[in-house]
Amino acid sequence: MEKRDTLIDAARHGDRLALERLLAVTQPDIRRYAKTQCAGASDADDAVQETLWLVYRRIGALRTVTSFSAWVFSIVRRECGHLWRRMHGQAALPPDDDPIFILRPDPELRQDLIAAIHSLPDKYRDVIVLRDIQEFSISEIAIELRLTREAVKSRIHRARLMIREYLND
């Protein structure tokens, strides 16, 4: 397990070769889990590919090495859910605050956003990073932080208000 932790840590810090090895080592576990979570084999294959792609793109946002497995499996669950909803005609638009609806900020605004997030107290920064950067669901955040769903929603709301206030100053 120590070797895998070393790969995760190196990948988090930008080592592309470590990331490629990590994906190769992790893929069988992801595939096994996807088969238990998705409706069919083709959905499982799609979920595996999407999960690998998201891990590749977002590994740098992972806070701790120990949360890697939970993070990866939450991505698989979410992807299987998306595929099932799409198959059953229940695909909904993302929420208004989803990053796909927000124009790419200019570099100065991006720096201000980073500073605003860093200025948050830890309990608010944690929920914002999990929700808006790592795209965890409210339920996943509640499990990860051992909070109620209501507490998570409240913290997200307060954190966004603090960020807005920071940016307005």
Side-chain angles (χ1 to χ4, degrees), residues 73-121:
F73 291 143
S74 71
I75 294 171
V76 173
R77 278 192 310 276
R78 187 170 45 249
E79 288 307 314
C80 288
H82 287 248
L83 292 165
W84 187 88
R85 284 189 298 279
R86 228 176 278 141
M87 185 173 70
H88 290 88
Q90 296 178 357
L93 287 175
D96 291 343
D97 62 349
D98 192 284
I100 65 169
F101 291 123
I102 299 172
L103 294 175
R104 299 273 184 227
D106 62 270
E108 185 176 299
L109 178 56
R110 190 174 307 122
Q111 291 302 323
D112 288 344
L113 284 170
I114 291 168
I117 292 169
H118 282 291
S119 75
L120 294 172

Side-chain angles (χ1 to χ4, degrees), residues 91-160:
L93 287 175
D96 291 343
D97 62 349
D98 192 284
I100 65 169
F101 291 123
I102 299 172
L103 294 175
R104 299 273 184 227
D106 62 270
E108 185 176 299
L109 178 56
R110 190 174 307 122
Q111 291 302 323
D112 288 344
L113 284 170
I114 291 168
I117 292 169
H118 282 291
S119 75
L120 294 172
D122 289 344
K123 69 182 188 178
Y124 296 111
R125 187 179 326 115
D126 290 345
V127 296
I128 284 295
V129 168
L130 289 172
R131 179 69 176 151
D132 294 341
I133 296 173
Q134 294 184 359
E135 299 179 349
F136 278 38
S137 71
I138 299 296
S139 297
E140 291 167 338
I141 296 169
I143 291 167
E144 177 83 9
L145 299 178
R146 295 187 175 131
L147 298 169
T148 64
R149 288 176 45 83
E150 292 73 24
V152 170
K153 289 179 188 180
S154 176
R155 286 186 185 185
I156 290 170
H157 177 71
R158 287 184 184 134
R160 288 178 179 161

